Amino acid sequence: MTAQIIDGKKISMDIREELRPRVDLLTDKGAKPGLAVVLVGDDPASQVYVRNKERACEKLGILSVKHDLSQETSQEELLALVENLNQDPSIHGVLVQLPLPSHINEKEILYAISPEKDVDGFHPQNLGRLVIGDPLFLPCTPWGVQELLLRSGVQVEGKNVVIFGRSNIVGKPLTMMLIQKAKGANATVTVCHTRTRNPEFFTRSADILIAAAGSPGLVTSEMVKEGAVVIDVGINKVNDRLVGDVDFEGVSKVASLITPVPGGAGPMTIAMLMANTVKAAEYRIGL
Ligand code: GUN
């Protein structure tokens, strides 16, 4: 079998274009959506991500305000900025790019973002709402994975889904999303991680395998069931090349559908961030 490639770039552009009439309507009503992006320090990968987020905003007519802070920014300064953005009526979404420098207490910063402006969906109130099936903002990367599956015609209901990785940003929220009694969910989800014994025992039973461990070459063809759908959320730099967690060449020979890196799950994160920003602006004016 040769897997068909899921074009995340194309699907993400479709989603972004679908948002345009909603942005235009908000703008006509004097509530142009605004996203504040806070970057602390000069991590090169974060700089690229932030630039891509800004560009996506500009293309859609969303106001984008970047706060570029030095590596030496203190906890108090960063907290004060977040408080300011919480109060700013032109801003509907506040995103603090991770990772933060090691002297910053990341948890305290994320908890300080107003849950109504938490377009990353990282605030405990939003994660808690996700767990009980009453979400406000879904974390962008897991939501992007769910949309990729939905728009590729992959049935999730009743399927065995194995998620490799248990991060707060991807693995845990994605698990919660896919076990919900809801459209595009209702799956049986197994989570594998660094302490899982014989992960191939689980991954070989997966109808849908999602790799989100941040470990290049983690998923090889022997670990994948013939005909499985494989979603690669990993973004790793190896010898100046971007690769995922999946051995794309090998796994393409056994999977039925597979996402590439780059051009798979990555662009979806930005599309869902735009969707959350629009949603935040709509929420504010009661639409
Ligand atoms: N760093 C890597 N992914 C993300 C993300 O989705 N949001 C933020 N804020 N930082 C990140």
Side-chain angles (χ1 to χ4, degrees), residues 28-132:
D28 287 347
K29 287 179 177 292
K32 181 183 168 104
L35 173 69
V37 178
V38 181
L39 176 62
V40 186
D42 38 36
D43 176 60
S46 288
Q47 283 174 332
V48 174
Y49 295 147
V50 166
R51 200 174 322 128
N52 289 339
K53 289 167 186 177
E54 281 184 291
R55 281 210 193 114
C57 284
E58 277 158 30
K59 280 197 186 147
L60 255 183
I62 293 175
L63 169 73
S64 146
V65 183
K66 182 180 167 195
H67 293 265
D68 220 333
L69 307 183
S70 84
Q71 179 77 20
E72 288 75 41
T73 303
S74 70
Q75 182 80 15
E76 293 68 33
E77 284 170 312
L78 187 51
L79 266 180
L81 173 60
V82 169
E83 301 291 349
N84 253 320
L85 295 170
N86 283 344
Q87 302 299 326
D88 185 337
S90 70
I91 294 299
H92 303 88
V94 176
L95 180 149
V96 178
Q97 187 65 30
L98 304 179
L100 288 166
S102 55
H103 67 273
I104 299 282
N105 178 344
E106 182 175 295
K107 209 191 279 179
E108 192 183 25
I109 303 298
L110 294 180
Y111 286 20
I113 296 171
S114 162
E116 280 94 49
K117 294 192 178 187
D118 173 35
V119 287
D120 256 331
F122 293 166
H123 191 283
Q125 186 171 310
N126 283 317
L127 289 169
R129 288 183 65 159
L130 162 60
V131 171
I132 62 173

Side-chain angles (χ1 to χ4, degrees), residues 5-14 148 259-260 263-268:
I5 292 173
I6 297 178
D7 188 347
K9 179 106 189 147
K10 159 85 171 60
I11 295 172
S12 70
M13 293 314 276
D14 290 347
L148 264 188
T259 59
M268 293 298 289

Side-chain angles (χ1 to χ4, degrees), residues 130 142 163 165-177 191:
L130 162 60
I163 299 173
R166 54 175 158 187
S167 68
N168 290 338
I169 293 184
V170 186
K172 280 187 216 165
L174 185 54
T175 301
M176 287 302 143
M177 287 171 67
V191 181

